Amino acid sequence: MSRYNGEQVLVVPREVFEAVGAFNGVRLNAQDYLSAFFKGGVAQYLDRDIAEESPQWKQIIAYAIFCYQGKVLAYARTAKGGETRLHDKWSLGIGGHINPVDGLADSIDTYLAGVEREIREEISFSGNATQQLYAVINDDTNEVGSVHLGIVHKFELDSDEVVPLEKKLANLKFCTLEELSGPLYDKLETWSAICVDALKNA
């Protein structure tokens, strides 16, 4: 029986990721990776049950972070979330997998539609936002990271009125980088810790 109810997720071959430049940590040349991934026939949909056990594929994860006056939105992942390996961790990332509902696999427009859909499903915010394609995150040192690749989008908000739309987002709040790199740092999921380090070094 499928753990993911037959969900199809967007993946790219690890060899394509490696051709652009394999790494552990963060890279700020995100456009180089997206350009390679969305050439014709590269990205495709794969059954998530297979993708989760297949490091030869990288599942593309939209990972949006939201900032307001120097603070970064953070939340605690609850047991309501689908990824049991991340429960009880703190996260900065809003987003998730790209699915066939977003469009054809090898289209950059499909990816961007998936980013918007994931945000609309998870939070609601007031005011305006400016968006920056910020970074790519990879961490092959653990079983979650070895089959995922995070594309980080940084949103600057002009209001701190953000409301969670899913129960998996607990204790949603804006935190200073000092808080995130101090008391909360050891509780952060790996990708979020990488994001905090990148933001501090910016």
Side-chain angles (χ1 to χ4, degrees):
M1 183 177 177
S2 171
R3 287 184 297 161
Y4 300 102
N5 299 312
E7 180 184 4
Q8 299 282 304
V9 296
L10 190 73
V11 299
V12 297
R14 174 178 286 273
E15 61 194 37
V16 175
F17 162 64
E18 292 177 346
V20 183
F23 64 92
N24 273 330
V26 64
R27 292 289 182 272
L28 299 182
N29 58 327
Q31 188 59 56
D32 293 341
Y33 289 87
L34 288 186
S35 296
F37 296 163
F38 291 104
K39 288 180 179 178
V42 174
Q44 60 186 276
Y45 291 116
L46 186 66
D47 188 284
R48 187 172 174 186
D49 277 300
I50 297 173
E52 291 289 347
E53 305 296 332
S54 305
Q56 67 265 36
W57 299 98
K58 280 290 192 180
Q59 299 170 57
I60 301 301
I61 303 296
Y63 200 81
I65 59 176
F66 291 82
C67 303
Y68 173 73
Q69 294 187 350
K71 295 183 177 182
V72 186
L73 192 67
Y75 63 91
R77 291 187 183 270
T78 71
K80 299 289 184 181
E83 181 49 82
T84 57
R85 295 169 291 189
L86 297 177
H87 289 170
D88 300 321
K89 293 285 191 178
W90 277 78
S91 178
L92 310 183
I94 300 294
H97 292 87
I98 310 301
N99 305 117
V101 68
D102 299 312
L104 298 174
D106 58 358
S107 167
I108 186 65
D109 291 336
T110 292
Y111 168 73
L112 295 174
V115 175
E116 293 184 11
R117 174 184 55 77
E118 285 287 346
I119 292 170
R120 288 197 307 269
E121 289 176 355
E122 296 190 17
I123 63 171
S124 173
F125 58 87
S126 302
N128 299 308
T130 57
Q131 179 187 172
Q132 173 190 3
L133 178 59
Y134 187 66
V136 179
I137 292 177
N138 186 60
D139 178 22
D140 283 331
T141 65
N142 62 75
E143 63 177 4
V144 179
S146 67
V147 294
H148 295 89
L149 190 72
I151 310 296
V152 183
H153 297 255
K154 183 183 177 186
F155 288 79
E156 291 285 350
L157 304 180
D158 63 4
S159 168
D160 63 354
E161 295 182 12
V162 181
V163 177
L165 300 179
E166 294 189 346
K167 292 181 179 179
K168 68 179 183 181
L169 309 179
N171 302 320
L172 192 75
K173 61 181 180 178
F174 282 94
C175 300
T176 65
L177 285 176
E178 287 72 24
E179 290 171 325
L180 291 169
S181 59
L184 283 176
Y185 191 81
D186 288 341
K187 298 179 181 179
L188 291 174
E189 65 184 26
T190 305
W191 282 9
S192 292
I194 292 171
C195 278
V196 168
D197 293 340
L199 290 168
K200 284 184 64 180
N201 293 327

